[in-house]
Amino acid sequence: MRPIEFTGTSLRLLDQTLLPGEERRLDCTTPEEVADAIRRLAVRGAPAIGIAAACGLALAEPGDFDRAASLLGATRPTAVNLHWAIERMRSARDDGRDLVAEASAIAAEQARCDDELVRHGLPLFGEGERVLTHCNTGPLVTGARGTAGAVIVAGWEAGKVELVWVDETRPLLQGARLTSWELGRAGAPYRLITDSMAASVMARGLVDRVMVGADRIAANGDVANKIGTYGLAVLCAHHGIPFHVVAPLSTVDVATPSGEAIVIEERAPEEVTALGGRRVAPDAADAANYAFDVTPAGLVTSIVTEAGALRPDEVAQAAR
Ligand code: MRU
């Protein structure tokens, strides 16, 4: 699929805004073009945003690093991988290391990390599991296997997962557009539901486990992820269903003590008042558009990282 390709002079992205209808590549050769791609979600998902920003910095003119870092750092506020990758590139610059090599190393390390997430996540599954997921966490979000999506697909390949319930993920439909597309390519069986069907599907006894990704994990284990995730965790607690988060340690922000301090991105109301570019609410309608929510650590069964499947209160130590 190669959703993220970096040549050293160009960042080639599979434009996620056009999926699943069209598979078009976007060539970014400047930090401005990369920032624009991140801002309009042509590349999205926490680790992918970090990788893209690192490549964007490697494309900056000598002497323009700090301006490019500010520009890229201001694109999206919630996913901490963005700032993690920028700070890592800043250290490389300060040490006089090659920035193209550093950005390539960040991407390669993420691919190895994905393998570790699968290694630690796979033993969670029993037999014949029906797993529900939200938003999009497969190859598109890391450029390799993905986070929660990688574990779920590996579970299907190992004969342990028999069905994936895919939340459509309003308002931008990352589940319907992207997760369905990835699972279809992988050949994994899935059924798409509207977000509001999750409670009913659980009440019918049709969900054995929920697995999602994360955009930022606070030091106390609170998890920011796509809007709707918190509701799923509450539903899991009510129905006695395990709720797992799968994320690299670069998503853990040890400087943020709890979820309350996480900045939640608010996007344009038009993303809510329109669907697929067609207005569905009255012209005068206002709308809130919180792109992420925070799931309290107490609702999280485990957080699967490259250091193992951890309790939420163990991730900060692992990240340090
Ligand atoms: O707004 P998006 O599409 O970038 O949000 C993405 C998510 O919320 C994902 O679930 C999250 O980044 C985890 S993917 C590793």
Side-chain angles (χ1 to χ4, degrees):
M1 182 191 299
R2 299 172 75 83
I4 306 170
E5 293 174 83
F6 185 47
T7 63
T9 53
S10 165
L11 175 64
R12 190 150 224 245
L13 300 168
L14 182 57
D15 187 341
Q16 298 190 33
T17 63
L18 302 175
L19 293 173
E22 193 182 340
E23 295 178 27
R24 195 195 297 167
R25 308 281 158 173
L26 182 70
D27 281 310
C28 304
T29 56
T30 64
E32 286 73 19
E33 286 173 353
V34 175
D36 185 55
I38 295 173
R39 219 178 285 114
R40 61 181 196 82
L41 311 187
V43 59
R44 46 145 297 286
I49 293 171
I51 293 166
C55 296
L57 286 173
L59 293 171
E61 293 293 333
D64 196 31
F65 184 99
D66 291 323
R67 195 195 59 84
S70 312
L71 176 78
L72 288 157
T75 49
R76 299 195 70 193
T78 304
V80 78
N81 306 61
L82 178 68
H83 304 285
W84 173 88
I86 290 171
E87 288 320 308
R88 194 165 141 175
M89 291 295 285
R90 199 187 302 279
S91 299
R93 190 271 315 252
D94 292 348
D95 295 349
R97 282 184 279 129
D98 180 63
L99 295 187
V100 168
E102 190 69 6
S104 304
I106 289 174
E109 284 168 29
Q110 183 60 52
R112 287 196 292 276
C113 177
D114 290 4
D115 293 339
E116 289 303 293
L117 297 177
V118 168
R119 189 163 75 83
H120 295 300
L122 203 48
L124 296 172
F125 296 123
E127 294 302 317
E129 290 214 2
R130 295 135 327 153
V131 181
L132 187 145
T133 192
H134 192 67
C135 198
N136 171 254
T137 61
L140 292 170
V141 302
T142 67
R145 295 171 79 181
T147 59
V151 176
I152 292 168
V153 166
W156 172 72
E157 286 166 349
K160 291 167 172 248
V161 170
E162 68 178 32
L163 180 70
V164 189
W165 291 106
V166 177
D167 273 1
E168 64 170 351
T169 317
R170 277 283 283 149
L172 295 180
L173 305 177
Q174 287 92 335
R177 294 189 305 107
L178 307 176
T179 301
S180 302
W181 181 75
E182 287 176 340
L183 291 173
R185 286 177 64 105
Y190 67 89
R191 288 191 88 184
L192 185 61
I193 53 173
T194 63
D195 300 335
S196 52
M197 286 182 201
S200 181
V201 173
M202 288 184 191
R204 288 165 186 248
L206 300 176
V207 178
D208 301 299
R209 198 174 298 281
V210 168
M211 240 177 219
V212 296
D215 287 84
R216 188 183 299 226
I217 301 174
N220 71 342
D222 290 349
V223 176
N225 191 48
K226 180 53 58 194
I227 193 77
T229 303
Y230 172 38
L232 285 178
V234 172
L235 287 171
C236 281
H238 181 74
H239 291 97
I241 295 169
F243 176 88
H244 305 279
V245 173
V246 183
L249 289 172
S250 55
T251 302
V252 179
D253 180 10
V254 293
T256 296
S258 72
E260 271 172 37
I262 297 176
V263 178
I264 299 295
E265 179 178 5
E266 293 186 41
R267 295 181 62 85
E270 291 73 30
E271 292 181 352
V272 175
T273 53
L275 193 53
R278 200 174 74 86
R279 186 140 185 128
V280 291
D283 286 345
D286 188 18
N289 190 5
Y290 305 107
F292 300 94
D293 59 26
V294 175
T295 299
L299 294 176
V300 178
T301 309
S302 70
I303 300 180
V304 179
T305 71
E306 61 271 42
L310 307 173
R311 289 196 317 266
D313 63 352
E314 293 175 322
V315 290
Q317 186 56 34
R320 279 189 197 104

